[in-house]
Amino acid sequence: MTSLIKRNASGNADNGDANLLINEVGGIGEAARRERAAGFDAWLGSLLPGRDGIALVAVGGLGRRQCAPHGDLDLVLLHAGVPGIDELAASLWYPVWDAGVRLDHSVRTLAEALSVAQDDVKVALALLDARFVAGDRALADTLARTAADHWRRTAVRRLPALREITESRWRTHGELAFLLEGDLKEAAGGLRDVGLLRAIATAGITDALRPAVRAAHLRLLDTRDALHQQVGRRADRLLAQERDGVAGLLGLRQTPPGGSDDAQRPGGVSDGDVLLRRVAGDARTISHALDDAWRAADRLRSGRRRGGDGRPVRRPVARDVVEHDGELVLARTAIGARPDPSLSLRIAAAAATTRLPIARATCEWLAAYCPPLPAPWPPAARAALITLLGAGPGLVPAWETCDRYGLIDGWLPEWTRLRSLPQHNPVHRFTLDRHLVQTAYEASRHTRDVERPDLLLLGAFLHDIGKGLPGDHSTVGAPLAEAVAARIGLPASEVALIGTLVRLHLLLPDVATRRDLDDPVTIARVAERVGDTTTLELLHALVRADAAATGPAAWSDWKGRLVAELVARVRTALDTGALPAPPAPDPALVAGPLPVVHLAEDRVSVAAADRRGLLATVAGCLALHRLEVISADASTVDGRALVECRVQPRYGLAPDPIALRTDLRRAVDGDVSVTQRLRGRALAGRGEGAAPRVVWHREAATDAVLLELRAADAAGLLYRVTCALDEAGAQVRAARISTLGGDVVDAFYLVGGWPDDAERARLEAAVLAAV
């Protein structure tokens, strides 16, 4: 990298060329970060005249000489009560601001700085990075030395407050190892956690900065450098659209065996996926080290129950497992005898149920000496796995600990492929491995709702095992899940049921949101595929667990109601063989003067004189009032056209009911001004993204053919499409709207068979043109 600053004839930094610090920020790696720090040191030093009793001190990234390309500056102007300090501070801060550098600054005496550090643990941590930049070196060194000494004396009692702050940050930002778009700095396992490890190491509590942690830290710093270069500004969150570019800057490349063509890469693995897996591994290393450090601090601070000889009390918690000093260890008899192959699973289950950590030495011993599990597994191992998966809040930390030491790979060889695998879907928030574990955790909330809770837990854990392989992951995953179920020793009938759960785990939400639940064909087909009520209730519980583990965009109250409605109707069909009759129209819509407009919390019903295009008019009016249509039904009764829609506010705010009712009445009466507003808003709401598609389903309804539109979501889309269908001569009996992130899958039930290929092609072209 070229020099960051110019020098004038006397060899000092030229204040007028400070912008070069901003314009020449390239470079990734430790050397580049130190060069940026040296450039800032020289420039800032030129702004502060040499003077006793005043020192410019850097903390944060500059204090550590870890300056990111577009990072900010954290500076303290330290003084010994000299006059004119405010004017001097202004002469320092304004050039920094003028250069476009983000600045966090303070002006304090030595006593003030130490007092603030005593009251605020975050300030105390920041001062551990304090480094002299310019001015009175002795004053700056006194601050750094005194702050470090005070931290060493008080760290043990101050760590609980620091841990509370840290856990609050983790709740906000999540765990970097499992997030698809994690914050490299703030998320658990990120750069800020390395600062905690450095503070704990400074206090002498434990050697938290082991070589593996240092290497992970440097790689995360490199990743942030590359992210800054990729986006051209300060950024800490690694978004999906930036991953490939950042991977390229870091020289990461996924090359498949026998070639380098992207299309040949197994499972569609990209360079960005390689980066995400590396970030996940580094975050895991940092998180594990911090967990160990917290436990060491806890033991040092409070100790544990001691016996008469002063040694920690050993308390049995399960067969071959005891609690010792707040951690789980193996009983002496378990170590002395030939190890049971199920031992690692049993101690993992004990850790999850007691929510106590497994001692590091115990994990290392299990990884080295526990024999592999036979096929099929012994009953004790199978029972331990189910206990582990059903342990609730204790599952995730226990699983992660076992994964850290390679125990999971011994139980499930498939885990190597699944670990840290990205999911390329905006609805998902977790990597695949964490999603599977999280789904099992969520399924544990529903174990009392099903006849076979053990199969629910196992099915939840295996439901996405086919992801990352070519083909439909539900279809591909079913035989893989069956192989795992057989290996752990389930009987053949239960192995087949696990395969069915994996194969059909998307059936209920897909049908509930994309098909007409009042159509007997819909219910009959689901009942035929599910087969019995035991499988139905397992699928219902699995759907809810999967959605909760996926993220907030994967579930909503309306989707839950639709799925529950579908399950109730299918259960009736399975129990009695009776299919639902077509629903009777709302009596309020078939009587009284026209038009009729009824508004409820999540429903809008309209009746008007029979005419074509009523559904399009109603859909457009709802779009004008920022209401999303979830489902729509259109029918004609005694010369009246009826439209009933389930709706939800597009942006969370309900519309003015008086204005909505007025516009609906005017629109269905043919008011031209409302129609003009509909068309103008619809044209302004067109979406972007991949090319839309139309898929036809011939036998999905009793008296209609199904046209399914897959396109980018946009306001007014339903209005435009229904207008196009109406103008092309198609009559829409029902519509179902399913939103998946930024895309929609809209299903339209068209009256008549539409058997002619040319007519279907004409209709398809009209729909695509409207999108």
Side-chain angles (χ1 to χ4, degrees):
M1 188 174 81
T2 58
S3 176
L4 286 173
I5 57 175
K6 291 182 179 179
R7 304 279 173 175
N8 59 27
S10 63
N12 296 321
D14 188 342
N15 294 357
D17 291 315
N19 282 332
L20 290 176
L21 287 167
I22 310 304
N23 297 329
E24 298 185 16
V25 292
I28 298 170
E30 183 70 9
R33 290 188 288 272
R34 287 186 170 274
E35 186 177 354
R36 282 189 286 270
F40 275 120
D41 283 356
W43 175 49
L44 293 170
S46 72
L47 300 177
L48 182 68
R51 188 171 169 185
D52 291 341
I54 298 175
L56 186 61
V57 177
V59 294
L62 180 58
R64 298 186 297 272
R65 292 188 174 91
Q66 293 170 353
C67 294
H70 291 279
D72 54 7
L73 295 181
D74 295 301
L75 300 173
V76 179
L77 184 59
L78 196 65
H79 66 99
V82 299
I85 192 64
D86 291 338
E87 292 79 5
L88 179 59
S91 70
L92 281 172
W93 309 149
Y94 277 101
V96 177
W97 289 324
D98 290 342
V101 180
R102 291 169 56 100
L103 174 65
D104 188 1
H105 61 87
S106 61
V107 180
R108 293 191 175 110
T109 65
L110 179 62
E112 289 170 343
L114 295 174
S115 176
V116 173
Q118 187 171 357
D119 295 336
D120 190 331
V121 69
K122 291 192 290 186
V123 174
L125 254 65
L127 290 183
L128 296 180
D129 297 325
R131 182 175 64 80
F132 167 78
V133 173
D136 189 334
R137 180 181 289 273
L139 184 63
D141 289 347
T142 299
L143 173 65
R145 182 179 61 256
T146 307
D149 289 344
H150 185 265
W151 173 253
R152 292 186 187 96
R153 293 195 305 272
T154 63
V156 172
R157 64 176 175 81
R158 302 187 73 180
L159 282 178
L162 180 59
R163 186 170 188 173
E164 184 177 342
I165 295 170
T166 301
E167 290 176 348
S168 175
R169 168 169 57 83
W170 290 348
R171 286 191 293 271
T172 299
H173 295 282
E175 299 170 86
L176 182 58
F178 308 115
L179 293 172
L180 296 171
E181 294 187 331
D183 190 304
L184 297 172
K185 182 177 181 181
E186 303 291 348
L191 295 170
R192 194 173 291 282
D193 283 356
V194 179
L196 298 178
L197 289 170
R198 189 165 48 250
I200 292 171
T202 299
I205 295 172
T206 184
D207 181 17
L209 293 175
R210 296 187 290 271
V213 174
R214 295 178 186 274
H217 180 215
L218 290 176
R219 285 191 293 268
L220 285 184
L221 288 172
D222 290 349
T223 301
R224 186 176 64 173
D225 288 353
L227 178 60
H228 282 205
Q229 286 201 187
Q230 172 70 16
V231 301
R233 57 179 171 79
R234 178 186 175 184
D236 293 318
R237 189 178 176 201
L238 184 59
L239 299 177
Q241 63 264 29
E242 311 297 350
R243 283 201 296 260
D244 282 345
V246 172
L249 290 172
L250 292 171
L252 297 178
R253 177 74 174 162
Q254 171 66 35
T255 304
S260 60
D261 185 357
D262 288 359
Q264 299 176 7
R265 297 182 185 187
V269 176
S270 69
D271 298 341
D273 294 346
V274 178
L275 170 64
L276 191 62
R277 282 185 142 164
R278 191 178 87 168
V279 168
D282 291 337
R284 274 186 159 111
T285 297
I286 293 167
S287 290
H288 295 155
L290 189 54
D291 286 343
D292 290 343
W294 287 134
R295 290 203 294 273
D298 287 344
R299 287 193 297 269
L300 187 62
R301 186 183 73 256
S302 59
R304 301 289 177 182
R305 291 186 296 121
R306 304 276 167 170
D309 58 0
R311 296 181 180 180
V313 173
R314 294 170 66 89
R315 178 177 67 91
V317 297
R319 182 165 68 93
D320 296 327
V321 184
V322 298
E323 177 191 354
H324 175 80
D325 205 17
E327 297 179 326
L328 295 187
V329 300
L330 293 173
R332 296 184 180 93
T333 54
I335 296 175
R338 176 175 172 80
D340 178 355
S342 67
L343 187 57
S344 60
L345 269 164
R346 289 192 287 108
I347 196 169
T353 53
T354 62
R355 301 178 68 174
L356 290 172
I358 307 173
R360 178 180 175 183
T362 298
C363 291
E364 292 172 344
W365 187 93
L366 289 169
Y369 299 110
C370 191
L373 286 159
W377 288 8
R382 186 167 61 254
L385 176 63
I386 299 302
T387 301
L388 173 61
L389 294 177
L395 165 61
V396 173
W399 189 275
E400 182 62 15
T401 297
C402 293
D403 199 16
R404 172 186 181 182
Y405 291 96
L407 302 180
I408 307 269
D409 292 351
W411 309 338
L412 301 166
E414 298 85 354
W415 199 250
T416 302
R417 178 179 62 81
L418 303 174
R419 183 181 292 109
S420 302
L421 186 67
Q423 302 195 74
H424 299 287
N425 187 312
V427 173
H428 279 276
R429 58 179 171 170
F430 290 134
T431 54
L432 179 58
D433 55 340
R434 175 56 185 274
H435 173 69
L436 295 176
V437 176
Q438 188 73 23
T439 305
Y441 161 68
E442 299 292 348
S444 68
R445 303 172 185 267
H446 302 288
T447 52
R448 296 183 181 181
D449 301 335
V450 298
E451 182 180 340
R452 291 297 304 270
D454 55 337
L455 298 184
L456 170 61
L457 294 169
L458 190 58
F461 176 66
L462 297 173
H463 75 285
D464 276 349
I465 194 173
K467 283 189 174 178
L469 299 174
D472 183 318
H473 76 278
S474 300
T475 303
V476 172
L480 299 178
E482 290 172 349
V484 173
R487 189 190 316 141
I488 69 174
L490 293 184
S493 60
E494 295 177 7
V495 168
L497 182 50
I498 290 295
T500 299
L501 294 180
V502 173
R503 190 178 296 107
L504 301 183
H505 75 273
L506 296 176
L507 175 66
L508 297 182
D510 283 354
V511 171
T513 57
R514 302 180 189 179
R515 297 294 182 264
D516 182 4
L517 303 189
D518 296 325
D519 193 318
V521 170
T522 300
I523 306 305
R525 291 200 167 185
V526 174
E528 180 183 2
R529 295 190 69 184
V530 171
D532 57 71
T533 55
T534 297
T535 304
L536 179 65
E537 69 181 14
L538 286 170
L539 286 172
H540 190 198
L542 175 53
V543 164
R544 289 173 285 172
D546 187 16
T550 296
W555 198 248
S556 62
D557 289 342
W558 69 263
K559 184 177 285 189
R561 288 195 298 271
L562 287 175
V563 171
E565 182 179 337
L566 172 62
V567 169
R569 296 187 180 200
V570 173
R571 180 180 286 111
T572 299
L574 290 170
D575 284 341
T576 68
L579 296 175
D586 185 346
L589 298 179
V590 296
L594 297 175
V596 179
V597 176
H598 285 172
L599 305 182
E601 182 179 359
D602 62 349
R603 287 180 181 269
V604 174
S605 304
V606 176
D610 188 14
R611 66 177 177 84
R612 298 182 65 89
L614 181 62
L615 175 58
T617 300
V618 172
C621 199
L622 296 176
L624 272 178
H625 289 266
R626 296 179 173 84
L627 284 173
E628 291 182 332
V629 177
I630 300 166
S631 67
D633 294 289
S635 59
T636 302
V637 177
D638 297 332
R640 291 176 174 234
L642 311 180
V643 172
E644 298 181 77
C645 299
R646 289 188 181 187
V647 298
Q648 65 179 5
R650 188 172 185 88
Y651 301 111
L653 297 175
D656 180 353
I658 297 176
L660 174 59
R661 184 179 287 108
T662 300
D663 275 352
L664 281 169
R665 286 181 174 275
R666 292 169 58 197
V668 300
D669 277 340
D671 189 315
V672 176
S673 64
V674 178
T675 304
Q676 289 173 342
R677 289 167 58 205
L678 294 180
R679 294 187 180 276
R681 181 67 62 84
L683 289 173
R686 294 181 181 274
E688 299 178 354
R693 289 184 57 208
V694 166
V695 179
W696 293 87
H697 299 273
R698 293 309 228 133
E699 300 177 356
T702 304
D703 58 352
V705 66
L706 193 64
L707 182 152
E708 192 173 82
L709 171 66
R710 303 172 185 178
D713 189 19
L717 177 63
L718 179 61
Y719 169 66
R720 295 197 303 273
V721 174
T722 49
C723 281
L725 290 170
D726 181 62
E727 292 168 1
Q731 180 181 350
V732 179
R733 173 174 69 74
R736 296 294 180 270
I737 313 303
S738 178
T739 303
L740 305 170
D743 290 343
V744 294
V745 179
D746 293 351
F748 299 92
Y749 286 76
L750 308 181
V751 176
W754 291 84
D756 185 75
D757 291 343
E759 284 297 293
R760 287 201 310 275
R762 179 179 65 82
L763 192 61
E764 181 175 330
V767 169
L768 294 176
V771 175

